[in-house]
Amino acid sequence: MKEFWNQRYSEAGFAYGTVANDFLREQTSRFASGAKIICIAEGEGRNALFLAAQGFEVTAMDMSEVGMQKAQDRAKEQRLKLTTIVEDLESFDLGENQWDGIVSIFGHLPATLRMNFHIKIIQALKPGGITFGDWWTKRFIHADE
């Protein structure tokens, strides 16, 4: 899988563009000023860079070295502070009580990893922290379920 994403992100341009996800832009005000946020499965960094530009302390994490390098290059161009981590979600340790916000935009997880990783997300949030994402499912799930 890592090879797939490295190849995809090696192509000219940006696989998902450079503009942050609409849902993320709508939800940004929910984060406290200066919040410490991690964007998991972040690809080439479009969402993390948007958050960094809003003044948040942002870490972008993805398994693709190519994607994270593109994110770092854009951060330097835009004079933004961005921490990047290259690691697979299966082995990544989010820590405990560490993040004010955890964001996952199109961070598709295999069923074998999904439940355990979502538990890790809850454990990694500080009290009052929030997590949200934009995920795909075969079944419509209303936000109130």
Side-chain angles (χ1 to χ4, degrees):
M1 187 57 73
K2 182 178 185 175
E3 294 79 21
F4 170 84
W5 290 112
N6 277 334
Q7 182 177 355
R8 176 92 160 111
Y9 298 145
S10 292
E11 297 172 5
F14 294 88
Y16 299 99
T18 57
V19 177
N21 175 272
D22 289 340
F23 178 68
L24 173 67
R25 289 185 290 148
E26 292 169 4
Q27 299 300 314
T28 303
S29 64
R30 297 181 64 187
F31 293 118
S33 178
K36 183 179 176 184
I37 302 171
I38 186 166
C39 297
I40 58 174
E42 180 54 12
E44 297 165 302
R46 68 188 177 118
N47 299 305
L49 290 165
F50 168 77
L51 291 169
Q54 306 309 305
F56 299 111
E57 181 184 338
V58 184
T59 297
M61 179 267 167
D62 198 272
M63 72 168 65
S64 170
E65 298 96 348
V66 175
M68 289 293 88
Q69 185 58 57
K70 285 173 101 172
Q72 274 298 335
D73 292 346
R74 288 192 59 226
K76 287 178 186 169
E77 288 171 9
Q78 297 175 30
R79 295 192 167 125
L80 296 172
K81 182 178 182 211
L82 178 68
T83 300
T84 54
I85 299 171
V86 176
E87 193 159 345
D88 190 298
L89 285 175
E90 195 161 358
S91 58
F92 184 61
D93 181 8
L94 278 167
E96 290 188 26
N97 194 30
Q98 185 171 342
W99 305 98
D100 298 305
I102 300 175
V103 175
S104 176
I105 303 296
F106 301 132
H108 308 299
L109 301 175
T112 56
L113 176 61
R114 191 176 306 124
M115 182 62 78
N116 286 337
F117 198 76
H118 286 172
I119 290 169
K120 288 180 182 180
I121 286 173
I122 300 305
Q123 294 169 340
L125 285 171
K126 292 178 182 178
I130 61 171
T131 182
F132 63 83
D134 197 348
W135 299 286
W136 180 87
T137 181
K138 292 180 183 178
R139 178 177 155 262
F140 176 77
I141 300 173
H142 192 271
D144 293 335
E145 280 188 46

